[in-house]
């Protein structure tokens, strides 16, 4: 009877039962609405985009209006003598409006181009963050699924050792087994209980990690179905995947646009040596009167128009312009180095994930075979112990090996699915359809 209970417990651990909880798409939709990382990337994108109208504004008309009121103390003037005052105050009110228009400023033009490139780079960075969300949600989701299976296997392992421990105690009490069997069985049983507690704690933590992304409590999740597609990546050529990544990776595109922005910044700094031309139109009037309101002169209080073109030629600014040029060149070099590093990392990641998918297929197939063999080994060792051809330690070891094989198989299954997604992310081609396909593998 106990042998049947043991077989049933291990069998339940090895089978993924159907689930009707939330699926991967539910988790993604919640994350799309609530993930603070993506929201932060979006806010940064919008903030950086505002640099474009700010840079453009320097090339558009500048309209200003102003009014001033001044008071001057005057003493002994002929004007005051004529009105019978020895001293008093003269007040002046000035009203003006002006329009300034840049005709030529190569530095501002280059700065506008740099702002456009920086904004485009941030747009690509946001695209990369949006693609990364697919992977972060899937990774957190499958981590929870794997943790749940690990807890299931740990509990089955604990139950198997408990049954073996009880059996060893009964045999010792009736005098057909040594006390050594009891000590060995209890040692394995107590260690199994500790493993179960550890795995349950890990599961609780990883469920919370998924909630951090989705902004919602993590409920029951749908599980991976037993049979997974074992097809290799298509196309079956790693260099093709690398070529695709070079064309589509938003991270790489962002790095390239950052180099373009740095080049424009160099032009803007160098233009600090060049002349600028500005046109202006001013309409203003000035009115002056004494404190008794009797003072006036010809033309007082009439509007006048001023039209002009200003040519400004920078000659020397204390070395600031040359320093800005050197600084911009250094920043451009830094951006180019970052671009090259990004290119190498994208290539490395693409090749790694391509190879990981191929290796993962073999690991899943081998893992499944290992679980089947380990289960048979447990049954055979148990039977051998009953007839005296196996010792208690052999039984305990076989149960432990079965649990290890199940754990390894579970990790390989979930990692294979995730690696397929990571490969598409590295190539820059991941989208919602990929998540829908993975979701179809759940039950």
């Amino acid at each position: 009877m106990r042998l049947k209970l043991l077989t049933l417990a291990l069998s339940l651990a090895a089978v993924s039962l159907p689930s009707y909880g939330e699926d991967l798409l539910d988790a993604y939709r919640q994350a799309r609405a609530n993930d603070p990382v993506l929201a932060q990337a979006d806010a940064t994108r919008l903030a950086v985009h505002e640099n474009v109208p700010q840079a453009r504004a320097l090339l558009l008309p500048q309209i200003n209006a102003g009014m001033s009121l001044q008071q001057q103390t005057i003493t002994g003037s002929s004007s005051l003598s004529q009105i019978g005052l020895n001293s008093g105050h003269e007040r002046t009110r000035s009203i003006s409006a002006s329009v300034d228009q840049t005709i030529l400023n190569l530095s501002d033009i280059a700065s506008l181009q740099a702002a456009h490139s920086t904004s485009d780079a941030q747009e690509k960075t946001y695209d990369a963050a949006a693609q990364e969300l697919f992977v972060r949600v899937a990774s957190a989701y499958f981590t929870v699924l794997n943790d749940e299976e690990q807890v299931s296997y740990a509990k089955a392992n604990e139950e198997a050792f408990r049954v073996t421990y009880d059996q060893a105690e009964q045999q010792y009490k009736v005098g057909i087994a040594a006390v050594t069997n009891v000590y060995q069985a209890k040692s394995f049983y107590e260690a199994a209980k500790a493993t179960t507690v550890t795995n349950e704690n890990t599961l609780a933590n990883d469920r919370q990690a998924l909630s951090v992304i989705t902004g919602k409590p993590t409920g029951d999740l749908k599980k991976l179905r037993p049979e997974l597609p074992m097809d290799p990546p298509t196309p079956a050529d790693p260099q093709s995947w690398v070529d695709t990544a070079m064309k589509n990776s938003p991270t790489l595109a962002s790095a390239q646009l950052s180099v373009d922005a740095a080049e424009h910044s160099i032009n803007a700094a160098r233009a600090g040596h060049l002349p600028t031309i500005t046109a202006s139109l001013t309409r203003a009037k000035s009115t002056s009167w004494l404190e008794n309101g009797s003072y006036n002169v010809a033309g007082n209080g009439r509007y006048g128009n001023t039209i002009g073109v200003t040519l400004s030629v920078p000659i020397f600014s204390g070395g600031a312009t040359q320093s800005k040029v050197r600084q911009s060149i250094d920043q451009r070099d830094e951006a180019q180095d970052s671009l090259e590093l990004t290119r190498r990392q994208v290539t490395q990641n693409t090749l790694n994930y391509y190879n990981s998918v191929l290796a993962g297929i073999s690991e899943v197939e081998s893992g499944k075979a290992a679980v089947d063999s380990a289960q048979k080994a447990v049954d055979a060792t148990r039977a051998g112990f009953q007839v005296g051809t196996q010792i208690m330690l052999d039984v305990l070891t076989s149960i432990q090996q079965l649990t290890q094989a199940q754990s390894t198989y579970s990790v390989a299954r979930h990692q294979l699915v995730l690696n397929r997604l990571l490969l598409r992310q590295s190539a820059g081609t991941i989208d919602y359809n990929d998540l829908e396909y993975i979701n179809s593998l759940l039950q």
Side-chain angles (χ1 to χ4, degrees), residues 143-160:
T143 296
V144 172
L145 293 189
N146 179 65
D147 289 344
E148 289 176 343
E149 291 196 0
Q150 299 301 327
V151 169
S152 176
Y153 297 145
K155 288 182 177 180
N157 187 51
E158 178 185 338
E159 176 63 16

Side-chain angles (χ1 to χ4, degrees), residues 77-371:
S77 70
S78 58
S79 299
L80 289 174
S81 299
Q82 292 175 2
I83 62 176
L85 295 174
N86 294 325
S87 63
H89 300 295
E90 181 182 31
R91 297 185 176 93
T92 302
R93 181 179 63 224
S94 300
I95 301 175
S96 65
S98 64
V99 178
D100 298 308
Q101 173 62 57
T102 298
I103 298 176
L104 178 64
N105 190 321
L106 297 179
S107 179
D108 288 347
I109 293 174
S111 294
L112 176 58
Q113 294 171 330
H116 273 294
S117 294
T118 301
S119 177
D120 292 342
Q122 194 60 46
E123 194 75 34
K124 291 298 182 180
T125 299
Y126 174 77
D127 291 343
Q131 290 191 2
E132 185 183 10
L133 182 62
F134 291 119
V135 173
R136 289 195 295 115
V137 172
S139 179
Y141 187 97
F142 285 120
T143 296
V144 172
L145 293 189
N146 179 65
D147 289 344
E148 289 176 343
E149 291 196 0
Q150 299 301 327
V151 169
S152 176
Y153 297 145
K155 288 182 177 180
N157 187 51
E158 178 185 338
E159 176 63 16
F161 284 137
R162 186 195 65 78
V163 171
T164 304
Y165 173 50
D166 290 344
Q167 184 182 23
E169 275 196 318
Q170 291 297 326
Q171 291 177 344
Y172 172 69
K173 288 178 180 179
V174 298
I176 61 175
V179 71
T180 304
N181 290 349
V182 178
Y183 294 150
Q184 289 177 337
K186 184 177 182 181
S187 174
F188 277 77
Y189 174 50
E190 295 297 335
K193 289 198 296 183
T195 300
T196 300
V197 172
T198 299
N199 289 348
E200 288 176 336
N201 183 62
T202 299
L203 172 60
N205 291 339
D206 289 337
R207 289 176 67 86
Q208 185 59 36
L210 178 57
S211 296
V212 169
I213 301 175
T214 62
K216 303 290 183 180
T218 301
D220 294 333
L221 304 181
K222 290 187 177 181
K223 310 296 191 291
L224 268 181
R225 66 192 189 195
E227 297 298 328
L228 297 178
M230 294 290 106
D231 302 325
T234 303
D237 176 20
Q239 188 57 46
S240 296
W241 285 93
V242 172
D243 294 340
T244 300
M246 293 299 105
K247 296 177 182 178
N248 299 309
S249 171
T251 304
L252 190 58
S254 177
Q256 179 60 65
L257 287 166
S258 295
V259 173
D260 296 341
E263 293 284 2
H264 292 310
S265 295
I266 294 175
N267 294 335
R270 285 174 174 163
H273 293 289
L274 302 178
T276 60
I277 301 176
T278 305
S280 62
L281 169 63
T282 303
R283 181 173 176 81
K285 74 172 182 178
S286 180
T287 305
S288 300
W289 68 94
L290 294 176
E291 57 185 335
N292 64 358
S294 61
Y295 182 63
N296 199 359
V297 296
N300 191 29
R302 295 181 181 177
Y303 278 102
N305 298 326
T306 303
I307 300 175
V309 176
T310 301
L311 172 65
S312 177
V313 182
I315 298 176
F316 182 68
S317 57
T321 302
Q322 292 88 340
S323 176
K324 290 179 181 178
V325 172
R326 294 193 299 270
Q327 183 184 53
S328 298
I329 291 175
D330 291 336
Q331 290 172 340
R332 187 272 315 276
D333 293 342
E334 178 187 6
Q336 287 179 334
D337 292 336
S338 179
L339 171 61
E340 179 59 26
L341 177 60
T342 301
R343 182 181 292 110
R344 296 180 185 182
Q345 288 177 335
V346 168
T347 300
Q348 178 189 19
N349 291 340
T350 304
L351 293 175
N352 284 349
Y353 291 132
Y354 180 88
N355 293 329
S356 295
V357 171
L358 294 179
I361 293 173
S362 299
E363 289 173 2
V364 170
E365 292 174 344
S366 299
K368 182 178 181 180
V371 171

